[in-house]
Amino acid sequence: MILTRLIISILLLFIFSCNSNKSDEEMEELWSKAQTTGEIINRSGTVFNPALNKDLAMRDAETRLQSGGGLFGKGGGLSLGRILGENSQEKNMSGGVIAMSVNPFLWRAALETIDFMPLSSADQIGGTIITDWYSTSGNEKERCKLNIFITGINLKTENLRVVSFCQEFKNPTWVNKETAKEDNIKIENAILNKAKKLKLQSS
């Protein structure tokens, strides 16, 4: 089942990130060997460090070159500054300050955990992340998408909720499949563990 594979991928990414011994310099050296990709990154002006997250940097770079903006079009795109806010705050149109209503570590952890999936939308103030449909190369007749809701400023389990949707292709249409609540909880736990790790790293 694709949702199970998705959960395994998320857990493997988390384990790998916890146990990676490569320095930033080593990662940058490996990344620089990809000449074509490197040229795209350099021309785009992406704010993401390809040595830390090459897929996210590449997506942002391609969008910038095509649209003149970032992952969400013009205006600078998605950046860690926008994800986390300036001291967990964001300016409104009148120049005032709006306090960030969601936990910055949960927000960042959620984005990093599902960064291999295409994003449909991400609302930092509302704490909502919606992915587009995702299929694995080994099973293109099944697809899943995730809705992630972060509802509070504290790093607590009750402030995070993941809802998954899966479909199976039965020619000529996609048919909805039932998803298990336990699978959603596994993804929530992966995000929570990553958020705790990010908080420890920041202290």
Side-chain angles (χ1 to χ4, degrees):
M1 183 178 178
I2 189 171
L3 189 56
T4 301
R5 294 180 183 177
L6 178 62
I7 293 168
I8 292 172
S9 298
I10 288 172
L11 293 176
L12 287 175
L13 284 171
F14 175 74
I15 292 169
F16 178 78
S17 69
C18 289
N19 293 292
S20 176
N21 293 319
K22 283 188 171 62
S23 67
D24 289 349
E25 291 77 13
E26 290 173 317
M27 293 296 287
E28 287 174 3
E29 182 180 352
L30 288 172
W31 177 248
S32 67
K33 293 178 181 178
Q35 296 298 323
T36 303
T37 303
E39 290 171 7
I40 292 173
I41 294 290
N42 291 335
R43 289 199 312 270
S44 70
T46 178
V47 295
F48 293 102
N49 185 346
L52 300 177
N53 193 326
K54 69 177 184 180
D55 292 333
L56 188 59
M58 189 62 182
R59 289 207 309 272
D60 184 58
E62 289 176 338
T63 305
R64 283 172 179 272
L65 291 173
Q66 291 170 6
S67 67
L71 278 175
F72 299 113
K74 296 182 178 180
L78 182 65
S79 67
L80 288 182
R82 290 188 176 193
I83 291 170
L84 297 175
E86 290 289 350
N87 297 321
S88 297
Q89 295 178 331
E90 184 170 298
K91 289 186 177 181
N92 62 17
M93 295 296 289
S94 62
V97 174
I98 304 172
M100 187 175 180
S101 59
V102 299
N103 183 271
F105 300 109
L106 280 175
W107 177 258
R108 180 176 170 185
L111 284 172
E112 291 187 6
T113 299
I114 52 92
D115 68 359
F116 59 93
M117 299 180 72
L119 278 180
S120 178
S121 67
D123 176 7
Q124 176 184 344
I125 302 300
T128 303
I129 300 170
I130 300 174
T131 75
D132 207 341
W133 292 106
Y134 173 80
S135 295
T136 62
S137 57
N139 189 2
E140 296 181 351
K141 291 191 175 182
E142 286 188 25
R143 64 182 187 179
C144 289
K145 64 185 299 186
L146 301 176
N147 289 0
I148 301 173
F149 305 98
I150 302 169
T151 55
I153 195 64
N154 297 316
L155 205 172
K156 293 182 178 180
T157 304
E158 56 265 33
N159 288 339
L160 174 68
R161 185 164 66 97
V162 173
V163 181
S164 58
F165 304 90
C166 292
Q167 293 181 337
E168 183 177 9
F169 186 71
K170 294 184 178 180
N171 197 27
T173 60
W174 288 95
V175 178
N176 292 333
K177 296 181 63 177
E178 186 175 353
T179 57
K181 184 179 179 181
E182 292 76 15
D183 291 337
N184 296 331
I185 293 173
K186 289 176 183 176
I187 298 174
E188 289 172 359
N189 288 338
I191 294 172
L192 285 164
N193 288 333
K194 191 169 191 68
K196 290 173 184 176
K197 178 188 171 188
L198 291 171
K199 185 176 182 179
L200 285 172
Q201 289 174 342
S202 71
S203 59

